[in-house]
């Protein structure tokens, strides 16, 4: 049985510490979309630790990560992950994703709700009309 929920995840590409930036093993992302929602990019230098802001300058973007959280995921519909980028031949990328199902009421909550609806229905059925003509 399928159900709606939310998804979160990230994709990362990096080059080996001994490889050349923009060499044969470098893959660069242009955009990452999940169900039309754009992921946020973060860039690091080739050491994989030092953050940077301008990809392509001084090795910035040797490690790229695009991440997204709480994207609506729908049961029984086509959900998409679209990754656009430049591959120079031998590059690769990897990713991870998680799914969190939507809130489903507990069985006790369902029972209380049904009991409440039943009580309301019983009360409406037993209620007397608000106005009755009195004949004397």
């Amino acid at each position: 049985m399928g159900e709606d929920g939310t998804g979160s995840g990230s994709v990362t590409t990096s080059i080996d510490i001994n490889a050349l930036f923009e060499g044969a093993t470098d893959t660069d992302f242009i955009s990452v979309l999940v169900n039309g929602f754009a992921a946020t990019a973060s860039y690091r230098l080739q050491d994989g630790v030092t953050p940077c802001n301008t990809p392509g300058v001084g090795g910035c973007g040797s490690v790229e990560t695009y991440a997204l959280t709480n994207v609506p995921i729908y049961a029984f519909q086509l959900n998409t992950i679209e990754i656009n980028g430049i591959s120079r031949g031998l590059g690769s990328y990897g990713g991870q994703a998680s799914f969190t199902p939507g809130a489903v009421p507990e069985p006790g909550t369902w029972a209380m709700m049904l009991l409440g609806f039943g009580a309301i229905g019983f009360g409406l059925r037993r209620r007397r009309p608000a106005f009755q003509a009195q004949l004397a």
Side-chain angles (χ1 to χ4, degrees):
M1 175 183 224
E3 61 184 277
D4 295 343
T6 59
S8 300
S10 65
V11 291
T12 301
T13 184
S14 62
I15 60 175
D16 183 89
I17 195 76
N18 298 316
L20 294 173
F21 180 65
E22 295 186 346
T25 62
D26 190 11
T27 297
D28 294 316
F29 296 135
I30 295 172
S31 66
V32 176
L33 302 169
V34 178
N35 283 348
F37 291 88
T40 303
S42 64
Y43 306 101
R44 299 194 180 280
L45 296 177
Q46 197 164 353
D47 64 8
V49 177
T50 309
C52 57
N53 296 320
T54 311
V57 176
C60 181
S62 294
V63 177
E64 299 177 38
T65 300
Y66 279 65
L68 201 56
T69 59
N70 297 322
V71 175
I73 304 294
Y74 304 104
F76 308 110
Q77 293 184 20
L78 179 64
N79 293 279
T80 62
I81 300 172
E82 181 180 322
I83 300 173
N84 298 296
I86 299 169
S87 175
R88 293 175 180 80
L90 301 173
S92 64
Y93 59 88
Q96 59 84 28
S98 63
F99 174 76
T100 304
V104 177
E106 298 275 334
T109 303
W110 279 107
M112 290 296 290
M113 186 171 59
L114 291 173
L115 184 63
F117 286 141
I120 291 169
F122 181 76
L124 288 173
R125 190 154 167 82
R126 302 238 338 135
R127 196 170 110 186
R128 293 186 179 167
F131 174 76
Q132 289 184 345
Q134 299 279 335
L135 297 175

